[in-house]
Structure formats: C-alpha cells, structure tokens
Amino acid sequence: MKLIHHVTTTVVDIRRETPRITVYELADPDGWDLPPFTPGSHIDVFLDDRTARQYSLCGPGSRPDRYRIAVQREDAGRGGSRAIHEGWTLGTIVPVSLPRNTFHMGDGHMGDGAAHRILVAGGIGITPIIAMAEALAGSGARFELHYAARSPEEAAFRDALENGPFSDRVTFHYSNGHDGKGNGGKRAGRLDLPGLLAAAAPGTHTYICGPKPMIDEARDVAEATGRDDIHLEQFGAHATITPGAETAYVVDLARSGGSVEVAVGQTMLDALRQAGVEIEASCHAGVCTSCKTRYLAGSPLHKDLVMSPADRREFVTPCVSEVMGARIVLDL
Ligand code: FES
C-alpha cells in the first residue's frame, strides 16, 4: 500500500501582516479538504526538489480546506523566506508535507489534563500559539496568552488578538517600552518568563514558542525544577546549527548488534544511513523529530530545537545531534 506523503496546494490568499511578516493561505487546487491538523502542527513547504522549510500552521481552525502560514522575511537567512516573499503570488503551486505535530497539547488534541494553560509567544512564535488559543477558546478551556514582541507594529495577528473573542486573555509585552494605548488585550512591561513560570499554579501546563534566548530561559527553569509541564518549540536558530561531528565517535546498535563509526564532519544520521540502517528523516534541522531515536547509554549533545527535557533524557535526533564521549548506544 502506498501512503500519501505530500499534498499539492495552491496559494489562494496573501495578506501583509507586518512589514516583515506575510500570511499565506494554501488550498487544494480542486477545493478538496486538506489533511487535518491539530494545534501546534507544522508542515514542510517544498520550495524546490532539494529545499524544504518548516512553517507552523496558524489556522484557520474553521476551514478544513485551508492551511494558513505566516512567513517572516529573514534577509540574513538561508533564502527560503525571501524566495516565498518574492516568488509566491495567487495561484502559485506549493507542494507541502502532511501536517506533523511535535508541539501538541498532550496526546491527541488537548489531552494534557491541564486545569489551566499559559501560552507564551515570542515574535513569529505566535504562529502555533494562536492556533492553540483559538482551539482552547473554542472548547471553553481556561488559558492566558502572553505575546512578547519588539513593538505593536511588529506583532503579527495583533488585530485578531486585540479585538478577537479571547482578547481579554491576551497580554502584550513590548520590549520597546510601548505602553499600548488602544482597545482589547492587556499590556505589561517586558516579559518576565522565569517569574511567570514560577507563579504558575499546580496543574498548569505552559506552551512556549519563541527565539533561542526565550527557549533557553524556559529550558533552564524546566531542568532546574524537573518540571515536565513546560512545553517548548524554538524557531529562528536553524541557521546556527552546523550538523556534523566535531570529534569521531561510535554508535552501537543494541538490537542488531552492529557498530557504526561517525567521522569528524559527518552527522550521525548520514553515518547510520551509509551503514544501511533505515531511519526516517525529513527536515535535517532538528525540527520535525521524524529521526527521533531512543538511546540506551551514552550522553547525547542535543542540538534539536523542539524536544522537552524529559524527551531529551530518552531520545536523540541523529540529523543534528552529536555525542559527548566515545560511544552511544541506540535502540536500533
Ligand atoms: S530529520 Fe527532522 S529532526 Fe531529524
């Protein structure tokens, strides 16, 4: 049986959200419903045969025939966002992957059992967070949303967040000191993330999507306190990842009994594949977790952008992660 991996879509709506962020809506060319997604999901967008970029789906939850993504132009990036901003027009054909969710609210849709949820977005990290907020608001769940941005002009979806049905649960944190006169949405000073996490009542689950400093700050809290109710997704650091081992090491395969050497400059994933080990992979950037593999011994040097501290104690992403020491044992 052949399984569907890719979907062909076409751009059906383009909207400038901020000077750097444009929102695109994608639909099936014949108007069919698209494969469903849960809040927090992302898709790979294929720009050509060899180039894919990951974008969170920010809705719309009410339209099963649409995928909405928000693309922030990064002129110093690898060129993907520039290609989209400059090349996509209404009718552009865009192949995308099936939605994958590495940032979900528990098993399935909202199965984390939380009494209350805190959603935290930094910059373009609002994209999965707004999908979560819409779903939570629609189901009557208790939540609050904190959105850190440089200024009101750079806050994507500001109108929806300020004037939408859950605006009373949104607090904006502008780092340029803007005190935010206007309707809807509360304004506070700079976001104090450790303080917010420390004040969370028992039973609260917190979902954070933002840039590396924000995620590092939250991960430090999670590791220091051993909490597993803090869920993280990082964006924007893909360009800083340089996959490939800095020192050689050996991967022992517990189930098949073999060993694979990883040379300097090689990724664990490449070494395993060259040795004939079948291992799934998609983003090659530590984002999608499709290569996520259980390890049984050894100390990974994690370079993924999405796994929780609890996940990192059990799993490694061979596409980008390395090893501290001479060996690691994988459950392969
Ligand atoms: S292939 Fe995506 S995380 Fe490894």
Side-chain angles (χ1 to χ4, degrees), residues 124-168:
I124 191 68
I126 190 65
T127 51
I129 294 294
I130 196 169
M132 289 176 165
E134 278 176 2
L136 291 170
S139 69
R142 286 184 51 212
F143 75 97
E144 63 193 75
L145 193 165
H146 294 263
Y147 185 10
R150 262 193 291 253
S151 66
E153 295 70 36
E154 290 168 271
F157 304 111
R158 184 161 58 100
D159 184 44
L161 294 168
E162 284 189 336
N163 303 306
F166 49 86
S167 62
D168 56 331

Side-chain angles (χ1 to χ4, degrees), residues 165-303:
F166 49 86
S167 62
D168 56 331
R169 294 179 239 184
V170 180
T171 304
F172 293 90
H173 302 263
Y174 295 125
S175 58
N176 73 346
H178 183 90
D179 65 355
K181 308 255 183 320
N183 46 10
K186 296 178 283 293
R187 273 82 171 183
R190 266 188 115 84
L191 176 63
D192 171 15
L193 187 52
L196 187 69
L197 293 171
T204 300
H205 278 246
T206 305
Y207 296 85
I208 305 171
C209 183
K212 186 173 188 308
M214 176 182 268
I215 298 302
D216 285 349
E217 201 172 30
R219 188 170 275 135
D220 286 349
V221 173
E223 282 174 358
T225 57
R227 287 171 57 176
D228 59 4
D229 55 10
I230 299 174
H231 313 276
L232 307 172
E233 179 157 276
Q234 181 182 321
F235 71 84
H238 307 191
T240 66
I241 291 179
T242 356
E246 288 184 16
T247 54
Y249 57 88
V250 174
V251 180
D252 294 315
L253 307 173
R255 279 191 258 165
S256 62
S259 289
V260 175
E261 281 186 27
V262 183
V264 172
Q266 196 175 28
T267 66
M268 198 187 310
L269 177 69
D270 285 344
L272 289 167
R273 283 182 161 178
Q274 275 173 24
V277 179
E278 280 192 22
I279 183 160
E280 202 186 318
S282 174
C283 71
H284 298 260
V287 177
C288 71
T289 68
S290 60
C291 68
K292 177 175 153 183
T293 303
R294 189 182 304 278
Y295 67 94
L296 305 173
S299 303
L301 186 57
H302 294 287
K303 291 189 173 180

Side-chain angles (χ1 to χ4, degrees), residues 25-58:
E25 293 212 0
L26 308 175
D28 177 87
D30 296 319
W32 293 94
D33 283 357
L34 294 167
F37 66 94
T38 49
S41 296
H42 69 269
I43 50 172
D44 295 336
V45 170
F46 298 97
L47 302 179
D48 58 42
D49 288 355
R50 299 166 0 137
T51 315
R53 293 287 183 271
Q54 287 76 42
Y55 290 100
S56 293
L57 292 170
C58 36

